[in-house]
Amino acid sequence: MLRVSHTGELLEAGLDEAGRGCLAGPVFAAAVILPPDFAPQYLNDSKQMTARRREVVRAEICREAVAWAVAEASPEEIASLNIAQASYLAMHRAVAQLAVPPTHLLVDGNRFRAHATLPHTCIIGGDGLYRSIAAASVLAKTFRDERMAALAAEHPQYGWEQNAGYPTARHRAAIREYGPTTHHRLGFRLL
C-alpha cells in the first residue's frame, strides 16, 4: 500500500525520472502533486506495471492531480552536464512548470540538486513507497516511451519503440552497423 505523504503537507510534489541508463534519447522527469484521496487501483512504481496499466493510470493522474508536469534534458545537455546533473535539471524544469507551486519536494533516489526555494527529501525506492513519486514515475516513463516511439519512426533500425533507447543487444548491434544518431548520448559507452 503506497503512502499518501511524507511530510503531511497538501502540496508535496513527488519527483522521478526515466531514461537515466539509456544510450539514446532525452532523460525525462515528472513532478506530481496529488489530492490526498487519489488511489488508483494499479498505481505503483512504473517498472512494476504493465504498459497497459501505465496508460490507464497516466490518464487518471493527468485528470485528477492537483498539478503535474513533465520535462526533459536533451542528449546534448546530458553530454555537457553528465546524466545525474541532467536528471536534476529535468526535475527542476518539471517543478517550474507545475501550475500549483509545491511546498516540499519528495524525490525518488538518494541524491538531488537542492532547489533554490523548496525543501526536499530523497527517498530510496520512493516510487514503490509514495503515491506522488509513483505517479511521477508513471508520467516520466510513459511520456518518454512516447517520445522514443516517435524517434523510432525516424530511425527504425535501432528498435527504440521496444527498447526505448536502453542498451539491448539489438540496439548495440544497430549502433555497430549504422553508427550513432544525433539522439545518441555520445558521452556514453555505446558499444
Side-chain angles (χ1 to χ4, degrees), residues 5-52:
S5 174
H6 180 72
T7 63
E9 296 177 27
L10 290 176
L11 298 179
E12 178 181 276
L15 274 71
D16 201 3
E17 54 70 29
R20 267 182 87 137
C22 295
L23 301 180
V27 63
F28 270 58
V32 182
I33 302 172
L34 295 174
D37 61 347
F38 183 79
Q41 181 178 0
Y42 300 114
L43 180 63
N44 197 355
D45 167 4
S46 65
K47 295 181 292 299
Q48 304 303 316
M49 300 169 67
T50 64
R52 175 173 283 180

Side-chain angles (χ1 to χ4, degrees), residues 79-109:
S80 68
L81 297 171
N82 77 40
I83 187 59
Q85 294 303 317
S87 296
Y88 306 149
L89 175 62
M91 287 184 187
H92 282 259
R93 286 174 173 163
V95 169
Q97 292 173 24
L98 287 170
V100 176
T103 56
H104 192 91
L105 305 177
L106 199 57
V107 184
D108 184 52

Side-chain angles (χ1 to χ4, degrees), residues 146-162:
E146 231 172 53
R147 171 68 59 78
M148 292 310 294
L151 292 175
E154 299 171 26
H155 304 280
Q157 64 271 38
Y158 299 96
W160 293 337
E161 72 286 354
Q162 292 176 326

Side-chain angles (χ1 to χ4, degrees), residues 117-130:
T117 59
L118 295 169
H120 73 274
T121 304
C122 291
I123 306 286
I124 297 170
D127 48 3
L129 296 173
Y130 289 94

